[in-house]
mmCIF file of all heavy atoms in Angstrom:
data_model
loop_
_atom_site.group_PDB
_atom_site.id
_atom_site.type_symbol
_atom_site.label_atom_id
_atom_site.label_comp_id
_atom_site.label_asym_id
_atom_site.label_seq_id
_atom_site.Cartn_x
_atom_site.Cartn_y
_atom_site.Cartn_z
ATOM 1 N N GLU A 518 105.582 111.379 85.198
ATOM 2 C CA GLU A 518 106.329 112.442 85.920
ATOM 3 C C GLU A 518 106.329 112.250 87.423
ATOM 4 O O GLU A 518 107.364 112.436 88.100
ATOM 5 C CB GLU A 518 105.722 113.824 85.566
ATOM 6 C CG GLU A 518 105.890 114.248 84.070
ATOM 7 C CD GLU A 518 105.021 113.465 83.158
ATOM 8 O OE1 GLU A 518 103.958 112.885 83.582
ATOM 9 O OE2 GLU A 518 105.368 113.395 81.946
ATOM 10 N N PHE A 519 105.171 111.877 87.963
ATOM 11 C CA PHE A 519 105.082 111.617 89.459
ATOM 12 C C PHE A 519 106.027 110.478 89.879
ATOM 13 O O PHE A 519 106.777 110.598 90.831
ATOM 14 C CB PHE A 519 103.693 111.337 89.866
ATOM 15 C CG PHE A 519 103.506 111.023 91.313
ATOM 16 C CD1 PHE A 519 103.547 112.050 92.278
ATOM 17 C CD2 PHE A 519 103.330 109.741 91.740
ATOM 18 C CE1 PHE A 519 103.406 111.780 93.587
ATOM 19 C CE2 PHE A 519 103.120 109.409 93.093
ATOM 20 C CZ PHE A 519 103.220 110.467 94.088
ATOM 21 N N LEU A 520 106.033 109.397 89.104
ATOM 22 C CA LEU A 520 106.801 108.222 89.442
ATOM 23 C C LEU A 520 108.245 108.415 89.123
ATOM 24 O O LEU A 520 109.096 107.653 89.585
ATOM 25 C CB LEU A 520 106.235 106.933 88.737
ATOM 26 C CG LEU A 520 104.885 106.520 89.170
ATOM 27 C CD1 LEU A 520 104.449 105.291 88.295
ATOM 28 C CD2 LEU A 520 104.870 106.057 90.639
ATOM 29 N N ALA A 521 108.616 109.407 88.346
ATOM 30 C CA ALA A 521 109.946 109.703 88.036
ATOM 31 C C ALA A 521 110.793 110.233 89.266
ATOM 32 O O ALA A 521 112.055 110.284 89.188
ATOM 33 C CB ALA A 521 110.114 110.606 86.851
ATOM 34 N N GLN A 522 110.101 110.615 90.252
ATOM 35 C CA GLN A 522 110.746 111.162 91.468
ATOM 36 C C GLN A 522 111.615 110.071 92.116
ATOM 37 O O GLN A 522 111.192 108.940 92.153
ATOM 38 C CB GLN A 522 109.761 111.678 92.476
ATOM 39 C CG GLN A 522 108.856 112.781 91.924
ATOM 40 C CD GLN A 522 107.765 113.150 92.987
ATOM 41 O OE1 GLN A 522 107.981 114.013 93.863
ATOM 42 N NE2 GLN A 522 106.596 112.547 92.851
ATOM 43 N N ASP A 523 112.800 110.454 92.549
ATOM 44 C CA ASP A 523 113.595 109.522 93.308
ATOM 45 C C ASP A 523 114.249 110.276 94.517
ATOM 46 O O ASP A 523 113.984 111.390 94.717
ATOM 47 C CB ASP A 523 114.645 108.815 92.422
ATOM 48 C CG ASP A 523 115.571 109.837 91.721
ATOM 49 O OD1 ASP A 523 115.645 111.006 92.221
ATOM 50 O OD2 ASP A 523 116.201 109.499 90.704
ATOM 51 N N ASN A 524 115.043 109.533 95.282
ATOM 52 C CA ASN A 524 115.697 110.174 96.404
ATOM 53 C C ASN A 524 117.186 110.242 96.204
ATOM 54 O O ASN A 524 117.747 109.879 95.092
ATOM 55 C CB ASN A 524 115.355 109.425 97.669
ATOM 56 C CG ASN A 524 115.850 107.952 97.620
ATOM 57 O OD1 ASN A 524 116.596 107.555 96.732
ATOM 58 N ND2 ASN A 524 115.418 107.133 98.581
ATOM 59 N N GLU A 525 117.898 110.679 97.174
ATOM 60 C CA GLU A 525 119.369 110.857 97.012
ATOM 61 C C GLU A 525 120.073 109.496 96.794
ATOM 62 O O GLU A 525 121.238 109.512 96.331
ATOM 63 C CB GLU A 525 119.972 111.482 98.277
ATOM 64 C CG GLU A 525 119.747 110.644 99.590
ATOM 65 C CD GLU A 525 120.227 111.433 100.805
ATOM 66 O OE1 GLU A 525 120.569 112.638 100.709
ATOM 67 O OE2 GLU A 525 120.336 110.819 101.847
ATOM 68 N N HIS A 526 119.450 108.410 97.052
ATOM 69 C CA HIS A 526 120.064 107.067 96.800
ATOM 70 C C HIS A 526 119.714 106.534 95.426
ATOM 71 O O HIS A 526 120.125 105.416 95.045
ATOM 72 C CB HIS A 526 119.617 106.076 97.864
ATOM 73 C CG HIS A 526 119.902 106.585 99.276
ATOM 74 N ND1 HIS A 526 121.228 106.737 99.739
ATOM 75 C CD2 HIS A 526 119.112 106.903 100.284
ATOM 76 C CE1 HIS A 526 121.175 107.120 101.004
ATOM 77 N NE2 HIS A 526 119.900 107.203 101.368
ATOM 78 N N GLY A 527 118.884 107.310 94.675
ATOM 79 C CA GLY A 527 118.473 106.838 93.340
ATOM 80 C C GLY A 527 117.377 105.765 93.382
ATOM 81 O O GLY A 527 117.185 105.109 92.355
ATOM 82 N N GLU A 528 116.721 105.629 94.481
ATOM 83 C CA GLU A 528 115.615 104.600 94.583
ATOM 84 C C GLU A 528 114.349 105.139 93.890
ATOM 85 O O GLU A 528 113.986 106.279 94.002
ATOM 86 C CB GLU A 528 115.312 104.308 96.096
ATOM 87 C CG GLU A 528 116.516 103.656 96.779
ATOM 88 C CD GLU A 528 116.314 103.732 98.281
ATOM 89 O OE1 GLU A 528 115.773 104.658 98.844
ATOM 90 O OE2 GLU A 528 116.728 102.671 98.942
ATOM 91 N N SER A 529 113.732 104.232 93.107
ATOM 92 C CA SER A 529 112.615 104.697 92.231
ATOM 93 C C SER A 529 111.272 104.301 92.766
ATOM 94 O O SER A 529 111.062 103.243 93.306
ATOM 95 C CB SER A 529 112.832 103.975 90.843
ATOM 96 O OG SER A 529 111.742 104.223 90.017
ATOM 97 N N LEU A 530 110.305 105.201 92.593
ATOM 98 C CA LEU A 530 108.961 104.909 92.910
ATOM 99 C C LEU A 530 108.329 103.865 91.958
ATOM 100 O O LEU A 530 107.272 103.295 92.258
ATOM 101 C CB LEU A 530 108.058 106.163 92.846
ATOM 102 C CG LEU A 530 108.319 107.219 94.006
ATOM 103 C CD1 LEU A 530 107.507 108.461 93.775
ATOM 104 C CD2 LEU A 530 108.021 106.645 95.346
ATOM 105 N N LYS A 531 108.951 103.672 90.825
ATOM 106 C CA LYS A 531 108.513 102.683 89.799
ATOM 107 C C LYS A 531 109.041 101.290 90.122
ATOM 108 O O LYS A 531 108.794 100.376 89.284
ATOM 109 C CB LYS A 531 108.894 103.098 88.426
ATOM 110 C CG LYS A 531 108.198 104.267 87.871
ATOM 111 C CD LYS A 531 108.259 104.367 86.336
ATOM 112 C CE LYS A 531 109.642 104.560 85.882
ATOM 113 N NZ LYS A 531 109.654 104.668 84.378
ATOM 114 N N TYR A 532 109.610 101.070 91.221
ATOM 115 C CA TYR A 532 110.262 99.798 91.572
ATOM 116 C C TYR A 532 109.271 98.630 91.378
ATOM 117 O O TYR A 532 109.608 97.616 90.692
ATOM 118 C CB TYR A 532 110.807 99.804 93.000
ATOM 119 C CG TYR A 532 111.417 98.467 93.365
ATOM 120 C CD1 TYR A 532 112.787 98.178 93.078
ATOM 121 C CD2 TYR A 532 110.719 97.417 94.023
ATOM 122 C CE1 TYR A 532 113.352 96.975 93.409
ATOM 123 C CE2 TYR A 532 111.250 96.228 94.369
ATOM 124 C CZ TYR A 532 112.573 96.027 94.055
ATOM 125 O OH TYR A 532 113.176 94.785 94.397
ATOM 126 N N CYS A 533 108.080 98.750 91.937
ATOM 127 C CA CYS A 533 107.087 97.640 91.863
ATOM 128 C C CYS A 533 106.730 97.350 90.391
ATOM 129 O O CYS A 533 106.507 96.161 90.039
ATOM 130 C CB CYS A 533 105.850 97.990 92.686
ATOM 131 S SG CYS A 533 105.073 99.573 92.314
ATOM 132 N N PHE A 534 106.529 98.405 89.636
ATOM 133 C CA PHE A 534 106.200 98.195 88.234
ATOM 134 C C PHE A 534 107.320 97.527 87.410
ATOM 135 O O PHE A 534 107.090 96.688 86.523
ATOM 136 C CB PHE A 534 105.758 99.567 87.570
ATOM 137 C CG PHE A 534 104.490 100.136 88.053
ATOM 138 C CD1 PHE A 534 104.520 101.173 88.950
ATOM 139 C CD2 PHE A 534 103.296 99.628 87.628
ATOM 140 C CE1 PHE A 534 103.355 101.726 89.424
ATOM 141 C CE2 PHE A 534 102.123 100.217 88.132
ATOM 142 C CZ PHE A 534 102.134 101.213 89.057
ATOM 143 N N ASP A 535 108.537 97.933 87.742
ATOM 144 C CA ASP A 535 109.705 97.317 87.081
ATOM 145 C C ASP A 535 109.778 95.920 87.390
ATOM 146 O O ASP A 535 110.165 95.028 86.508
ATOM 147 C CB ASP A 535 110.991 98.133 87.495
ATOM 148 C CG ASP A 535 111.076 99.513 86.930
ATOM 149 O OD1 ASP A 535 110.348 99.793 85.964
ATOM 150 O OD2 ASP A 535 111.791 100.326 87.485
ATOM 151 N N LYS A 536 109.592 95.512 88.690
ATOM 152 C CA LYS A 536 109.622 94.095 89.082
ATOM 153 C C LYS A 536 108.537 93.336 88.419
ATOM 154 O O LYS A 536 108.782 92.154 87.986
ATOM 155 C CB LYS A 536 109.519 94.036 90.621
ATOM 156 C CG LYS A 536 110.686 94.585 91.379
ATOM 157 C CD LYS A 536 112.019 93.881 91.090
ATOM 158 C CE LYS A 536 112.048 92.490 91.643
ATOM 159 N NZ LYS A 536 113.369 91.854 91.368
ATOM 160 N N ALA A 537 107.332 93.841 88.316
ATOM 161 C CA ALA A 537 106.264 93.230 87.610
ATOM 162 C C ALA A 537 106.575 92.983 86.174
ATOM 163 O O ALA A 537 106.294 91.867 85.648
ATOM 164 C CB ALA A 537 104.979 94.039 87.764
ATOM 165 N N ALA A 538 107.225 93.932 85.542
ATOM 166 C CA ALA A 538 107.521 93.753 84.104
ATOM 167 C C ALA A 538 108.665 92.738 83.941
ATOM 168 O O ALA A 538 108.584 91.898 83.008
ATOM 169 C CB ALA A 538 107.969 95.115 83.507
ATOM 170 N N GLN A 539 109.648 92.761 84.866
ATOM 171 C CA GLN A 539 110.708 91.834 84.696
ATOM 172 C C GLN A 539 110.292 90.380 84.864
ATOM 173 O O GLN A 539 110.708 89.412 84.228
ATOM 174 C CB GLN A 539 111.834 92.130 85.749
ATOM 175 C CG GLN A 539 112.622 93.402 85.465
ATOM 176 C CD GLN A 539 113.416 93.887 86.647
ATOM 177 O OE1 GLN A 539 113.580 93.204 87.654
ATOM 178 N NE2 GLN A 539 113.858 95.168 86.597
ATOM 179 N N SER A 540 109.393 90.136 85.877
ATOM 180 C CA SER A 540 108.939 88.820 86.156
ATOM 181 C C SER A 540 107.742 88.389 85.309
ATOM 182 O O SER A 540 107.374 87.204 85.280
ATOM 183 C CB SER A 540 108.522 88.722 87.698
ATOM 184 O OG SER A 540 107.380 89.510 87.908
ATOM 185 N N GLN A 541 107.170 89.359 84.568
ATOM 186 C CA GLN A 541 105.900 89.138 83.814
ATOM 187 C C GLN A 541 104.784 88.585 84.678
ATOM 188 O O GLN A 541 103.893 87.834 84.220
ATOM 189 C CB GLN A 541 106.125 88.222 82.611
ATOM 190 C CG GLN A 541 107.086 88.852 81.589
ATOM 191 C CD GLN A 541 107.095 88.119 80.260
ATOM 192 O OE1 GLN A 541 106.216 87.341 79.950
ATOM 193 N NE2 GLN A 541 108.185 88.303 79.500
ATOM 194 N N ASN A 542 104.751 88.976 85.928
ATOM 195 C CA ASN A 542 103.715 88.657 86.939
ATOM 196 C C ASN A 542 103.194 90.040 87.410
ATOM 197 O O ASN A 542 103.926 90.809 88.033
ATOM 198 C CB ASN A 542 104.241 87.812 88.034
ATOM 199 C CG ASN A 542 104.640 86.422 87.573
ATOM 200 O OD1 ASN A 542 103.923 85.747 86.872
ATOM 201 N ND2 ASN A 542 105.885 86.058 87.945
ATOM 202 N N ARG A 543 101.898 90.219 87.209
ATOM 203 C CA ARG A 543 101.387 91.656 87.414
ATOM 204 C C ARG A 543 100.475 91.753 88.612
ATOM 205 O O ARG A 543 99.824 92.817 88.797
ATOM 206 C CB ARG A 543 100.609 92.061 86.186
ATOM 207 C CG ARG A 543 101.283 91.755 84.830
ATOM 208 C CD ARG A 543 102.364 92.743 84.524
ATOM 209 N NE ARG A 543 103.080 92.481 83.271
ATOM 210 C CZ ARG A 543 103.801 93.295 82.536
ATOM 211 N NH1 ARG A 543 103.982 94.512 83.020
ATOM 212 N NH2 ARG A 543 104.370 92.888 81.452
ATOM 213 N N VAL A 544 100.277 90.690 89.394
ATOM 214 C CA VAL A 544 99.388 90.741 90.575
ATOM 215 C C VAL A 544 100.174 90.393 91.777
ATOM 216 O O VAL A 544 101.041 89.455 91.812
ATOM 217 C CB VAL A 544 98.267 89.736 90.376
ATOM 218 C CG1 VAL A 544 97.349 89.706 91.681
ATOM 219 C CG2 VAL A 544 97.363 90.077 89.167
ATOM 220 N N VAL A 545 99.899 91.185 92.880
ATOM 221 C CA VAL A 545 100.601 91.046 94.135
ATOM 222 C C VAL A 545 99.531 90.779 95.251
ATOM 223 O O VAL A 545 98.519 91.398 95.301
ATOM 224 C CB VAL A 545 101.383 92.321 94.513
ATOM 225 C CG1 VAL A 545 102.068 92.220 95.861
ATOM 226 C CG2 VAL A 545 102.432 92.544 93.414
ATOM 227 N N HIS A 546 99.885 89.811 96.154
ATOM 228 C CA HIS A 546 99.071 89.556 97.273
ATOM 229 C C HIS A 546 99.947 89.455 98.525
ATOM 230 O O HIS A 546 100.755 88.521 98.648
ATOM 231 C CB HIS A 546 98.338 88.228 97.150
ATOM 232 C CG HIS A 546 97.195 88.123 98.162
ATOM 233 N ND1 HIS A 546 95.878 88.322 97.833
ATOM 234 C CD2 HIS A 546 97.225 87.683 99.465
ATOM 235 C CE1 HIS A 546 95.135 88.120 98.880
ATOM 236 N NE2 HIS A 546 95.939 87.739 99.867
ATOM 237 N N PHE A 547 99.895 90.513 99.370
ATOM 238 C CA PHE A 547 100.852 90.585 100.445
ATOM 239 C C PHE A 547 100.466 89.821 101.631
ATOM 240 O O PHE A 547 99.314 89.334 101.697
ATOM 241 C CB PHE A 547 100.954 92.088 100.928
ATOM 242 C CG PHE A 547 101.592 93.047 99.893
ATOM 243 C CD1 PHE A 547 100.821 94.106 99.338
ATOM 244 C CD2 PHE A 547 102.841 92.837 99.447
ATOM 245 C CE1 PHE A 547 101.432 94.940 98.443
ATOM 246 C CE2 PHE A 547 103.467 93.683 98.561
ATOM 247 C CZ PHE A 547 102.713 94.746 98.047
ATOM 248 N N ALA A 548 101.347 89.583 102.545
ATOM 249 C CA ALA A 548 101.049 88.924 103.881
ATOM 250 C C ALA A 548 100.014 89.814 104.647
ATOM 251 O O ALA A 548 100.011 91.005 104.470
ATOM 252 C CB ALA A 548 102.291 88.800 104.706
ATOM 253 N N PRO A 549 99.125 89.140 105.416
ATOM 254 C CA PRO A 549 98.019 89.857 106.042
ATOM 255 C C PRO A 549 98.448 91.038 106.867
ATOM 256 O O PRO A 549 97.753 92.073 106.880
ATOM 257 C CB PRO A 549 97.335 88.802 106.961
ATOM 258 C CG PRO A 549 97.674 87.490 106.263
ATOM 259 C CD PRO A 549 99.050 87.656 105.671
ATOM 260 N N GLU A 550 99.624 90.932 107.562
ATOM 261 C CA GLU A 550 100.065 92.015 108.435
ATOM 262 C C GLU A 550 100.378 93.304 107.602
ATOM 263 O O GLU A 550 100.513 94.369 108.259
ATOM 264 C CB GLU A 550 101.197 91.610 109.313
ATOM 265 C CG GLU A 550 102.456 91.080 108.558
ATOM 266 C CD GLU A 550 102.432 89.611 108.220
ATOM 267 O OE1 GLU A 550 101.355 88.947 108.325
ATOM 268 O OE2 GLU A 550 103.499 89.065 107.975
ATOM 269 N N SER A 551 100.577 93.177 106.356
ATOM 270 C CA SER A 551 100.958 94.382 105.536
ATOM 271 C C SER A 551 99.840 95.260 105.207
ATOM 272 O O SER A 551 100.003 96.458 104.917
ATOM 273 C CB SER A 551 101.560 93.940 104.261
ATOM 274 O OG SER A 551 102.747 93.077 104.447
ATOM 275 N N TYR A 552 98.601 94.804 105.301
ATOM 276 C CA TYR A 552 97.418 95.478 104.806
ATOM 277 C C TYR A 552 96.982 96.662 105.601
ATOM 278 O O TYR A 552 96.439 97.593 105.160
ATOM 279 C CB TYR A 552 96.318 94.594 104.478
ATOM 280 C CG TYR A 552 96.527 93.753 103.202
ATOM 281 C CD1 TYR A 552 97.332 92.568 103.212
ATOM 282 C CD2 TYR A 552 96.077 94.237 101.951
ATOM 283 C CE1 TYR A 552 97.539 91.865 102.026
ATOM 284 C CE2 TYR A 552 96.281 93.472 100.852
ATOM 285 C CZ TYR A 552 97.016 92.313 100.856
ATOM 286 O OH TYR A 552 97.296 91.702 99.716
ATOM 287 N N GLU A 553 97.260 96.576 106.993
ATOM 288 C CA GLU A 553 96.806 97.657 107.793
ATOM 289 C C GLU A 553 97.341 98.992 107.396
ATOM 290 O O GLU A 553 96.673 99.986 107.248
ATOM 291 C CB GLU A 553 97.158 97.338 109.210
ATOM 292 C CG GLU A 553 96.650 98.402 110.218
ATOM 293 C CD GLU A 553 96.872 98.091 111.673
ATOM 294 O OE1 GLU A 553 97.364 97.026 111.986
ATOM 295 O OE2 GLU A 553 96.532 98.940 112.529
ATOM 296 N N GLU A 554 98.735 99.105 107.144
ATOM 297 C CA GLU A 554 99.289 100.379 106.805
ATOM 298 C C GLU A 554 99.022 100.680 105.367
ATOM 299 O O GLU A 554 98.812 101.882 105.004
ATOM 300 C CB GLU A 554 100.780 100.375 107.126
ATOM 301 C CG GLU A 554 101.655 99.377 106.350
ATOM 302 C CD GLU A 554 103.161 99.551 106.640
ATOM 303 O OE1 GLU A 554 103.459 100.380 107.498
ATOM 304 O OE2 GLU A 554 103.961 98.826 106.068
ATOM 305 N N ILE A 555 99.090 99.684 104.409
ATOM 306 C CA ILE A 555 98.896 100.038 103.046
ATOM 307 C C ILE A 555 97.427 100.444 102.726
ATOM 308 O O ILE A 555 97.210 101.521 102.106
ATOM 309 C CB ILE A 555 99.252 98.792 102.063
ATOM 310 C CG1 ILE A 555 100.716 98.538 102.241
ATOM 311 C CG2 ILE A 555 98.847 99.072 100.672
ATOM 312 C CD1 ILE A 555 101.142 97.256 101.503
ATOM 313 N N VAL A 556 96.469 99.698 103.190
ATOM 314 C CA VAL A 556 95.044 100.069 102.978
ATOM 315 C C VAL A 556 94.668 101.260 103.838
ATOM 316 O O VAL A 556 93.882 102.131 103.375
ATOM 317 C CB VAL A 556 94.182 98.833 103.306
ATOM 318 C CG1 VAL A 556 92.734 99.239 103.095
ATOM 319 C CG2 VAL A 556 94.528 97.723 102.312
ATOM 320 N N GLY A 557 95.246 101.371 105.021
ATOM 321 C CA GLY A 557 94.997 102.597 105.821
ATOM 322 C C GLY A 557 95.416 103.844 105.051
ATOM 323 O O GLY A 557 94.704 104.880 104.989
ATOM 324 N N CYS A 558 96.586 103.828 104.352
ATOM 325 C CA CYS A 558 96.997 104.915 103.581
ATOM 326 C C CYS A 558 96.100 105.149 102.358
ATOM 327 O O CYS A 558 95.784 106.305 101.988
ATOM 328 C CB CYS A 558 98.479 104.659 103.072
ATOM 329 S SG CYS A 558 99.235 106.070 102.268
ATOM 330 N N LEU A 559 95.647 104.074 101.773
ATOM 331 C CA LEU A 559 94.714 104.105 100.639
ATOM 332 C C LEU A 559 93.457 104.882 101.028
ATOM 333 O O LEU A 559 92.931 105.753 100.332
ATOM 334 C CB LEU A 559 94.363 102.760 100.125
ATOM 335 C CG LEU A 559 93.652 102.581 98.873
ATOM 336 C CD1 LEU A 559 94.447 103.057 97.691
ATOM 337 C CD2 LEU A 559 93.234 101.090 98.661
ATOM 338 N N LEU A 560 92.947 104.560 102.239
ATOM 339 C CA LEU A 560 91.698 105.240 102.729
ATOM 340 C C LEU A 560 91.948 106.735 103.014
ATOM 341 O O LEU A 560 91.018 107.531 102.763
ATOM 342 C CB LEU A 560 91.139 104.457 103.968
ATOM 343 C CG LEU A 560 90.719 103.007 103.789
ATOM 344 C CD1 LEU A 560 90.338 102.362 105.044
ATOM 345 C CD2 LEU A 560 89.603 102.977 102.776
#
C-alpha cells in the first residue's frame, strides 16, 4: 500500500523493485557520491 503511491505523472515508488525483477539482478551498488544523501536519509 505504501509503495502503491504515485504522483501526477504516474511515477511509481516501486520503480527500483520493478527494474530488479526485469533484469533479475537484485543488488545495487551506487557511485560513491550518491551515498551521502541516501545514507543520510536512512540515518
Side-chain angles (χ1 to χ4, degrees):
E518 292 73 21
F519 177 74
L520 291 176
Q522 301 174 87
D523 57 20
N524 61 10
E525 60 184 10
H526 305 295
E528 295 166 324
S529 171
L530 290 176
K531 288 200 297 184
Y532 179 86
C533 56
F534 292 102
D535 292 340
K536 294 298 290 184
Q539 290 166 13
S540 65
Q541 294 192 21
N542 295 310
R543 315 284 179 159
V544 176
V545 176
H546 193 99
F547 294 119
E550 59 270 18
S551 302
Y552 283 86
E553 182 175 355
E554 63 176 2
I555 294 176
V556 177
C558 187
L559 190 67
L560 295 176

